[in-house]
Amino acid sequence: MKAVVWEGINRVKVERVPDPEILQPTDAIVRVTATAICGSDLHLLDGYVPSMAHGDILGHEFMGEVVEVGSAVRKIKKGDRVIVPFPISCGKCWYCQRGQTSLCDNSNPNAKLAEALWGYSPAGIYGYSHITGGYAGGQAQFARTVFADDNLYKVPDGLTDDQVLFLTDVLPTGYMAAENCNIEQGDVVAVFGCGPVGQFAIRSAFLLGAGRVIAIDRFPERLDLARGAGAETINYEEEEVFERLKAMTGGRGPDSVMDAVGLEAHGTGVGGMADAVKQTTRVLETERPHALRSAIMACRKGGTVSVPGVYGGLGDKIPLGAFMNKGLTLKTGQTHVHRYLDVLTRHIERGEIDPTVIITHRLSLDEAPHAYKIFKHKHEHCIKCVLDPWADPKDHDPVKAGDIRANSAD
Amino acid sequence: MPDQPLSPQNASPVERAVMGGLGAGMIAVSLRRPGPAGLMFAATGALLLAGASMGRSVGARMVGIRRTPDDGIAVEKAVTIGLPPEDLYAFWRNFGNLPRFMNHLESVKVQSDGTRSHWVAKAPAGTHVQWDAEITEDQPGRRIAWRSVEGTPVPNEGHVDFRAAPTGRGTEVHVSLKYRPPGGSMGAAVARMLGEEPGVQIAEDLRRLKRLLEVGEEPTTEGQSSGRRNALKKAEAKMFDNGRTA
């Protein structure tokens, strides 16, 4: 089969690799019909999340059709159309039973490695470095999925791949980020970063009762899309964000602030430069926590900072004084995808949230290196790339942001 | 509060003598060498000598070896498993189950009297260790304690406690073990770096026990597809994926 393979820092390649096999009785093999590149894949591409190895198959946003199941799989059947949530849930441990599936105790085969870096091990994740298990990912024609009964989510009839693909990660991630904001009716919420997660965070914040959402980014196409959802926007290259936020909120500051950027924020000024220099060593500092610093500073007293953005190791100069003296609450975490699937599927079915609005590019798997490049550098106004593992590269042209008719071609 | 008394000193007498001698030697060498090299020798020598005189082993400290006052190596590990204490006690008390999650154990055979058992374990470099043990305490649902009998190559004793975890989380399994490896704490430190020391093994054993009882299997990526073709690239990934070997 064809698969997207990590070849080293800033190098991905599409290669022929062996087809996946059932290795354990609870496995299922999925024929991938749609997969996407996630912002956190860029942290892997750039080598900032440690423990990537040459030849790793990437991809943690994928869906498809079940073509084979292990002997212990009961609920999932051959022929089922499923999405594959990115964190792997064993379904049995205390965390999984409480719906905190991204903290699963049992699904990371390399838990020891994770404990060395983070103290305790979170769940295994597909295609997401060896710290989170070293599982082969889904940017491929087929994928081995594990604990199939507890993880695979059957897609209701009548929904297209494009409508449900992002249930695997970015949609529930934006939703959980908004839920973590403890939004009260009419609250003002600020979102740093208007990529795919930021877009869904904005929409979710409104669904959960926010009165106003202020979206911060520097790319016009992303800010346009945020405005389309009803957000007010700040372009941080044109305006001083903190002052503007204060002015927009009557001097109080937003009630909650999300950092939907993570460890490769484009900082400004001396601090931003220092982060960038230190991060290139991958030792002195593994993060560029500019958005997190800004979120902590901008949040009103007693407010909540929610962090869906991915961090990997150690960041410097987090304003702990502001954090403590303003009485802030910090809520973080990889997404407990499983717990949001039913509620979000209903929102999609009722048309209250349209996941397809973020798709700007539709490419074949063979074009993955190009897709990574344009997504990373935001060339061609790229917001989100969907890859078709079975397509002929000649079939696909870029589509316009928000153009739903062009997106639901299947 | 540890389950067993620990010594503030983690270096064995032999190790203290060897390291002290080495340190003194390096200081002596440094006196004949001016410049940065001499300074390095002096500093390293002083560190080793100070460590030896205080009974602190640099190697043991780095790999986390702890000693008991009577010259043994102390190991304490715990895990929480989502089953009642009675079930865990029953599973453990059937010693034939132990090799199912203790990878280094080949077999445990209980003798006819019910308190004595014969243990066969894999040791570093493909060798084996065997010993006989006796149960010294047996509280159903709560605790099992054992001790190796006279004439064992690696004398050991220990106990496992099963304590109900708060708010319905299941059972805390606490293992406390003391053993005397050949080569003292130095030997233990070397074994630990090779992943063959009981402290490393028991932590992994307890994780396997949890996964066996909660899920019924260990997650694995062994045998999955990848874009790795040559042995060097495979070894690189293997280096990260060491959690399930040992």
Side-chain angles (χ1 to χ4, degrees):
Chain A
M1 68 164 182
K2 282 189 274 190
V4 179
V5 159
W6 192 83
E7 293 265 296
I9 290 172
N10 276 323
R11 293 208 323 271
V12 292
K13 224 166 109 182
V14 178
E15 277 196 42
R16 291 262 167 207
V17 303
D19 285 352
E21 288 167 32
I22 299 276
L23 301 175
Q24 290 185 293
T26 53
D27 289 356
I29 306 293
V30 169
R31 177 186 182 274
V32 180
T33 54
T35 179
I37 303 174
C38 179
S40 52
D41 284 328
L42 298 178
H43 308 321
L44 305 178
L45 175 76
D46 296 345
Y48 292 124
V49 173
S51 82
M52 286 300 291
H54 190 284
D56 287 344
I57 299 173
L58 291 165
H60 59 270
E61 290 182 352
F62 62 103
M63 64 174 298
E65 186 191 327
V66 175
V67 290
E68 197 184 345
V69 294
S71 58
V73 178
R74 297 283 169 265
K75 292 186 254 167
I76 294 294
K77 303 269 182 301
K78 205 172 143 176
D80 283 348
R81 193 163 150 254
V82 293
I83 63 130
V84 186
F86 78 88
I88 300 168
S89 160
C90 77
K92 312 289 190 299
C93 72
W94 187 75
Y95 292 101
C96 286
Q97 305 234 308
R98 286 167 49 105
Q100 297 182 327
T101 53
S102 78
L103 305 176
C104 175
D105 263 344
N106 295 320
S107 63
N108 183 357
N110 298 334
K112 203 163 89 177
L113 194 64
E115 283 171 1
L117 193 67
W118 297 328
Y120 302 92
S121 171
I125 299 178
Y126 292 106
Y128 200 73
S129 90
H130 290 260
I131 298 187
T132 52
Y135 288 99
Q139 286 167 8
Q141 291 182 311
F142 292 96
R144 168 190 174 236
T145 63
V146 302
F147 301 130
D149 280 339
D150 289 295
N151 284 286
L152 299 183
Y153 184 76
K154 282 189 221 173
V155 177
D157 292 336
L159 294 176
T160 64
D161 280 13
D162 286 350
Q163 283 178 294
V164 294
L165 174 59
F166 304 128
L167 285 172
T168 56
D169 182 348
V170 283
L171 175 52
T173 297
Y175 190 84
M176 180 166 125
E179 193 182 77
N180 276 346
C181 284
N182 302 321
I183 296 169
E184 288 179 28
Q185 206 62 36
D187 269 1
V188 183
V189 177
V191 181
F192 280 85
C194 298
V197 169
Q199 295 295 338
F200 290 135
I202 292 163
R203 286 155 179 80
S204 303
F206 280 125
L207 279 177
L208 293 170
R212 293 169 67 197
V213 178
I214 303 168
I216 301 139
D217 206 295
R218 63 178 169 139
F219 295 102
E221 63 272 16
R222 293 180 174 206
L223 293 171
D224 284 348
L225 201 51
R227 270 194 296 275
E232 299 154 63
T233 58
I234 301 175
N235 183 331
Y236 69 82
E237 283 186 336
E238 290 166 5
E239 291 177 281
E240 216 287 301
V241 175
F242 183 54
E243 285 307 318
R244 186 82 194 105
L245 278 174
K246 257 184 156 169
M248 290 168 85
T249 55
R252 301 185 308 277
D255 298 295
S256 51
V257 183
M258 294 186 233
D259 164 10
V261 178
L263 64 87
E264 290 186 74
H266 289 268
T268 49
V270 181
M273 255 159 66
D275 285 334
V277 171
K278 282 188 288 185
Q279 195 189 35
T280 56
T281 65
R282 288 173 174 77
V283 178
L284 287 176
E285 188 179 15
T286 53
E287 338 279 86
R288 305 198 301 254
H290 187 77
L292 180 59
R293 289 183 196 123
S294 307
I296 291 173
M297 290 305 286
C299 193
R300 76 154 163 84
K301 293 180 284 184
T304 304
V305 175
S306 162
V307 186
V310 165
Y311 288 92
L314 304 165
D316 289 353
K317 298 190 178 55
I318 308 299
L320 292 174
F323 180 60
M324 184 272 164
N325 287 289
K326 292 200 297 179
L328 299 183
T329 300
L330 183 67
K331 296 197 93 176
T332 64
Q334 294 282 8
T335 312
H336 310 307
V337 171
H338 307 76
R339 72 148 74 155
Y340 300 106
L341 291 175
D342 286 334
V343 61
L344 287 172
T345 303
R346 281 197 295 277
H347 278 309
I348 295 169
E349 284 176 325
R350 290 197 295 255
E352 289 154 356
I353 204 157
D354 178 9
T356 64
V357 294
I358 61 167
I359 304 173
T360 52
H361 288 72
R362 184 184 305 284
L363 300 160
S364 71
L365 196 70
D366 302 273
E367 295 165 295
H370 175 67
Y372 268 90
K373 195 172 141 199
I374 59 171
F375 181 47
K376 175 175 171 172
H377 299 291
K378 282 81 184 175
H379 290 167
E380 305 175 16
H381 307 299
C382 179
I383 295 177
K384 189 76 175 178
C385 296
V386 173
L387 303 175
D388 181 342
W390 300 92
D392 184 322
K394 289 192 287 291
D395 290 347
H396 295 282
D397 293 317
V399 294
K400 216 171 88 234
D403 188 341
I404 300 157
R405 268 172 303 123
N407 292 337
S408 49
D410 58 326
Chain B
M1 183 68 188
D3 267 4
Q4 52 189 325
L6 295 175
S7 166
Q9 302 180 335
N10 57 5
S12 64
V14 181
E15 183 181 356
R16 292 173 72 174
V18 171
M19 288 300 174
L22 197 63
M26 288 180 89
I27 291 170
V29 169
S30 76
L31 298 176
R32 294 157 172 269
R33 285 202 186 190
L39 212 60
M40 279 285 285
F41 267 89
T44 313
L47 196 69
L48 290 176
L49 195 60
S53 66
M54 290 187 292
R56 300 290 172 92
S57 159
V58 178
R61 177 87 187 93
M62 275 169 64
V63 295
I65 296 283
R66 301 190 304 170
R67 288 166 56 85
T68 58
D70 58 347
D71 225 23
I73 306 294
V75 175
E76 270 166 38
K77 300 286 172 192
V79 71
T80 300
I81 299 178
L83 290 172
E86 299 71 35
D87 292 11
L88 278 157
Y89 166 85
F91 186 87
W92 195 295
R93 183 63 183 81
N94 179 0
F95 288 166
N97 279 331
L98 300 184
R100 289 174 64 187
F101 66 94
M102 297 186 171
N103 269 9
H104 62 293
L105 270 187
E106 293 230 319
S107 65
V108 184
K109 291 207 173 63
V110 181
Q111 325 276 328
S112 52
D113 68 350
T115 58
R116 276 218 172 191
S117 47
H118 184 71
W119 299 59
V120 182
K122 296 169 206 151
T127 57
H128 287 87
V129 208
Q130 319 198 15
W131 69 93
D132 285 326
E134 58 186 3
I135 292 178
T136 53
E137 205 182 335
D138 187 3
Q139 299 178 35
R142 291 179 56 192
R143 168 183 267 223
I144 305 165
W146 68 89
R147 179 194 299 135
S148 62
V149 300
E150 291 289 317
T152 295
V154 185
N156 64 84
E157 61 186 279
H159 56 261
V160 52
D161 287 337
F162 308 98
R163 302 175 197 158
T167 60
R169 289 175 203 218
T171 303
E172 294 176 7
V173 180
H174 292 260
V175 175
S176 182
L177 180 77
K178 184 170 75 178
Y179 74 105
R180 285 169 223 279
S185 52
M186 279 256 270
V190 171
R192 174 157 291 202
M193 282 185 277
L194 298 172
E196 300 275 10
E197 193 266 327
V200 179
Q201 287 170 345
I202 286 170
E204 288 303 299
D205 291 346
L206 290 179
R207 196 196 310 281
R208 269 190 296 273
L209 173 66
K210 178 181 168 73
R211 289 177 173 180
L212 179 68
L213 295 180
E214 287 189 350
V215 191
E217 66 184 3
E218 274 277 290
T220 182
T221 55
E222 197 86 60
Q224 71 175 359
S225 329
S226 80
R228 285 181 274 279
R229 292 183 211 288
N230 67 50
L232 201 70
K233 305 262 161 74
K234 283 179 182 155
E236 183 197 354
K238 191 84 191 157
M239 186 181 78
F240 292 124
D241 294 341
N242 63 355
R244 62 178 173 274
T245 54

